[in-house]
Structures are given as C-alpha cells and as structure tokens.
Amino acid sequence: MAEHTSSSITIEAAPADVMGVIADFDRYPEWTGEVKEAEVIARDPQGRAEQVRLLLDAGAIKDDHTLAYTWIGEREVSWSLVRSQMLRSLDGSYRLDPLDSGARTLVTYQLTVDVKIPMLGMIKRKAEKVIIDRALAGLKKRVESAPTG
C-alpha cells in the first residue's frame, strides 16, 4: 500500500494569488527546479488545466509524464497520473487555507509516488520529501516575489 508524504508552508499572500501561481503550468520550469518542461494538453470549460504533460528531473526520479487535474473549489487542486515512462502512480494535491483574514495562506502539499522499477521505500519517501520541500519553497518564493496587481 502506498504511503503519502505531506508538508505545509505559510505564504505571505492571499489564497487566490497562490492558486494563480499553482495554476500557471507554463511557468513551472521558471520556479520548480524539477520540472524542465510543462505543456497544458487539455483545459476545462473555465480554462483551467485538465491534463498537463511534464518533463521531470528530480534526481532519483526522471520522467516524461501526463497528469490529470481536478479543481476543487478555489482552494484545492489534486492530480493523478495518466501516463508515464517510469511511474506507476503519482497522486497529489495542494490545499490552501486562508490565515489572518486571507492575507496569508497555509499551503499543504500531499504526494504519493509509486515507481515501476524496484526502489526502497525509504529512498522513495526521501524523493517525495525532496519534491515537496522544493516545490513549496519555490512556490513561496515565486508568490512572494511576484508584483501585486
């Protein structure tokens, strides 16, 4: 049974600003480190990404894969694996909780990765933790350095 890894970070911005960066897949290579390419393949009627192809290089995990995204209200998005070269599953989510009347946001990132090749659980969880920590740090930096409009 796959175990998930999760972590949280507080970002000095409103949830809508944070979600705006999360939803802007075309710019992922600018701030995520691990994502080398991102291409939105399909959009929902609201214009949000439904399927995204990502070229990932996260050290132990290198892959070209496609994820399906589900948007839950304005403060949560989850994803699951559609196709991959090396992954059996990749399920995750971002949940945004407003703090201080919405001036700040608690972002919780949850991730479960299962690879097709044998990998020790400890190494897999470490890779998950590295992906999460780098993504949250990159997201925080990106959101907090963005000009407010």
Side-chain angles (χ1 to χ4, degrees), residues 5-97:
T5 303
S6 68
S7 190
S8 298
I9 196 167
T10 299
I11 296 180
E12 303 295 324
D17 295 332
V18 176
M19 189 57 82
V21 171
I22 291 169
D24 189 1
F25 293 98
D26 293 336
R27 299 186 93 112
Y28 271 37
E30 296 175 15
W31 64 268
T32 61
E34 286 76 30
V35 176
K36 303 305 177 192
E37 292 179 29
E39 174 189 9
V40 176
I41 298 169
R43 295 186 183 276
D44 69 12
Q46 290 81 32
R48 300 175 297 194
E50 278 188 323
Q51 284 199 7
V52 180
R53 184 191 140 268
L54 300 161
L55 184 60
L56 180 77
D57 184 349
I61 300 174
K62 292 179 174 63
D63 195 32
D64 184 347
H65 59 267
T66 301
L67 300 177
Y69 285 83
T70 303
W71 302 87
I72 303 130
E74 300 297 316
R75 295 192 184 135
E76 189 170 349
V77 60
S78 63
W79 57 88
S80 59
L81 190 66
V82 174
R83 69 158 195 85
S84 168
Q85 295 173 343
M86 107 172 254
L87 302 173
R88 186 174 289 121
S89 67
L90 178 65
D91 300 315
S93 66
Y94 278 112
R95 189 183 74 240
L96 312 181
D97 294 307

Side-chain angles (χ1 to χ4, degrees), residues 78-134:
S78 63
W79 57 88
S80 59
L81 190 66
V82 174
R83 69 158 195 85
S84 168
Q85 295 173 343
M86 107 172 254
L87 302 173
R88 186 174 289 121
S89 67
L90 178 65
D91 300 315
S93 66
Y94 278 112
R95 189 183 74 240
L96 312 181
D97 294 307
L99 303 172
D100 299 330
S101 301
R104 299 164 62 219
T105 305
L106 178 66
V107 180
T108 302
Y109 185 164
Q110 183 173 298
L111 187 66
T112 304
V113 178
D114 194 12
V115 292
K116 292 178 181 175
I117 59 170
M119 183 182 283
L120 289 174
M122 179 179 67
I123 295 171
K124 186 174 65 116
R125 280 187 298 282
K126 181 172 176 89
E128 289 172 350
K129 181 84 171 120
V130 166
I131 292 168
I132 289 172
D133 289 348
R134 286 186 182 163

